[in-house]
Amino acid sequence: MVLKSLSDLKNIIAGGPARKLVLAAAQDQHSLGAVIKAWKDNIIEPILIGDKEGIQNICEENNYDISGVRIIHEPDMDKAVEMSVKMVNKKEADILMKGKVGTSTLLKCVLNKEWGLRTGNLLSHFALFEVDTYPKVIAVTDVAMNIAPNLQDKIAIINNSVSCLVRLGYKMPKVAVLGAVEMVNENMEATLHAALLSKMNQRDQIRNCIIDGPLAFDNAVSLESAQLKGIRSEVAGDTDLLLMPDIEVGNVLYKSLVFFAKAKVAALILGARVPIVLTSRSDSEQAKYDSILLSAAASK
Ligand code: COD
């Protein structure tokens, strides 16, 4: 099974229970719009933590009916995030979502040693894109959390993403480890990592997926391009997951897909106690709604 579109996520969660989702620093229009839509669709039961007046004003201006939704007033952004994380820590909520707060502020709370959401695994960011020029959904990692992952981190990032894809119904997802070129170049660390990861996969040191690399972006997503370059690869042109060399490359690809290619996106942090809905503050309401779908599908 592979996902053709992000709306396929609805089939995965159909009939499941509504998950308790806590929105941290909830006074954010796109986040509130997405949360309320997902609530009306019976996907989640929301808890809103943030500036109550700000939340109510946004809801009034946009005709969002939030009667019956639990709101906890905490105007201080940092305290609202801390309270949200603690609520998940105490198992009072199943999903954490970032509202009007910076990514690193939220992640620092999530990583708090006393009351955060660590599991002992590396946490990593996972994004799913639906783009008209590719025949299926394509996952990209890590574009927002791990800044300059080393080889060990990349193994953990692949394992987090592959486990998520398997939960979504994939059997042996195909993983392309990206570099600037498809040959190993000792001066380009990403190509060395890619070759090692591919060999570790062949030797079953990384399981449940097929890894190939280094692949440049063109041969990862286009078989024709790979054939023109004479590359024999099970992954080329049929990639399910792109592993980025570092956060800069990953984040630029994310934003390019969204702003230039008009891709739809859903994104999460994986590896914590629960899925964390983490999109960029500039992402659309649709992206936030699709991310909630993904979080529910990933925690089914
Ligand atoms: N998984 C598990 N534990 C981690 C991780 C991780 N990915 N990263 C750090 N830790 C642990 C460390 O082992 C350590 O115990 C503690 O957390 C603190 O580690 P530091 O000092 O390296 O990390 P911080 O707190 O300075 O920063 C962690 C962030 C995730 C905030 C940082 O890596 C970061 O800013 N990432 C980029 C976030 C961002 O700005 N994204 C924007 C793109 S939209």
Side-chain angles (χ1 to χ4, degrees):
M1 199 284 280
V2 294
L3 295 170
K4 298 277 184 211
S5 70
L6 293 182
S7 58
D8 290 348
L9 291 167
K10 274 201 163 167
N11 304 333
I12 299 175
I13 54 182
R19 275 87 174 166
K20 273 198 182 148
L21 178 147
V22 57
L23 177 58
Q27 58 277 16
D28 173 70
Q29 191 200 325
H30 287 164
S31 302
L32 278 171
V35 162
I36 286 152
K37 186 170 179 335
W39 174 51
K40 301 277 175 198
D41 290 347
N42 285 323
I43 295 163
I44 55 155
E45 188 187 315
I47 303 160
L48 309 177
I49 304 187
D51 180 56
K52 194 167 184 177
E53 204 182 317
I55 295 168
Q56 284 168 335
N57 287 345
I58 293 171
C59 292
E60 266 168 40
E61 281 159 23
N62 294 280
N63 286 324
Y64 300 149
D65 176 12
I66 49 164
S67 36
V69 174
R70 185 172 169 205
I71 304 178
I72 300 174
H73 178 58
E74 180 45 80
D76 183 287
M77 208 104 84
D78 291 343
K79 285 191 189 150
V81 175
E82 181 176 330
M83 198 184 277
S84 308
V85 170
K86 283 180 171 168
M87 193 172 255
V88 177
N89 180 301
K90 286 193 234 143
K91 299 197 169 67
E92 291 165 17
D94 312 309
I95 297 168
L96 173 68
M97 177 166 171
K98 175 174 93 87
K100 199 182 175 68
V101 61
T103 297
S104 56
T105 306
L106 183 106
L107 291 178
K108 279 175 195 277
C109 278
V110 166
L111 290 172
N112 183 285
K113 284 190 175 130
E114 287 160 47
W115 43 262
L117 307 176
R118 290 170 180 244
T119 56
N121 293 330
L122 189 84
L123 274 62
S124 58
H125 186 267
F126 172 85
L128 272 185
F129 291 91
E130 176 186 333
V131 53
D132 288 346
T133 43
Y134 199 64
K136 56 184 174 179
V137 159
I138 189 159
V140 182
T141 190
D142 177 330
V143 309
M145 183 159 192
N146 291 285
I147 295 172
N150 61 25
L151 182 68
Q152 216 50 45
D153 296 337
K154 286 181 180 176
I155 295 167
I157 291 170
I158 292 175
N159 282 333
N160 279 348
S161 303
V162 167
S163 301
C164 181
L165 288 168
V166 168
R167 279 200 299 280
L168 298 180
Y170 285 69
K171 288 280 180 282
M172 285 291 266
K174 296 186 176 178
V175 182
V177 184
L178 289 186
V181 289
E182 48 285 326
M183 297 300 161
V184 174
N185 178 328
E186 65 190 44
N187 296 315
M188 296 186 193
E189 192 184 42
T191 68
L192 296 170
H193 284 171
L196 288 166
L197 292 164
S198 306
K199 183 53 78 181
M200 290 176 84
N201 176 241
Q202 277 180 13
R203 294 283 184 267
D204 271 347
Q205 287 175 274
I206 308 172
R207 292 164 180 264
N208 303 323
C209 59
I210 301 167
I211 303 179
D212 196 18
L215 289 171
F217 185 79
D218 54 345
N219 18 90
V221 299
S222 156
L223 183 60
E224 192 189 351
S225 159
Q227 284 169 341
L228 283 171
K229 288 188 178 168
I231 295 162
R232 291 188 309 277
S233 164
E234 254 188 283
V235 172
D238 195 24
T239 298
D240 295 302
L241 172 69
L242 292 166
L243 180 77
M244 293 293 129
D246 60 34
I247 196 170
E248 337 277 1
V249 181
N251 207 268
V252 171
L253 177 65
Y254 179 139
K255 303 277 161 70
S256 313
L257 287 170
V258 171
F259 284 87
F260 278 179
K262 300 296 169 205
K264 286 169 118 188
V265 62
L268 294 182
I269 295 288
L270 301 172
R273 284 210 214 156
V274 298
I276 301 167
V277 176
L278 194 141
T279 50
S280 163
R281 273 171 291 177
S282 63
D283 276 327
S284 64
E285 182 177 315
Q286 181 70 45
K288 292 176 198 284
Y289 176 79
D290 286 335
S291 303
I292 296 171
L293 287 184
L294 176 59
S295 69
S299 63
K300 78 174 177 13

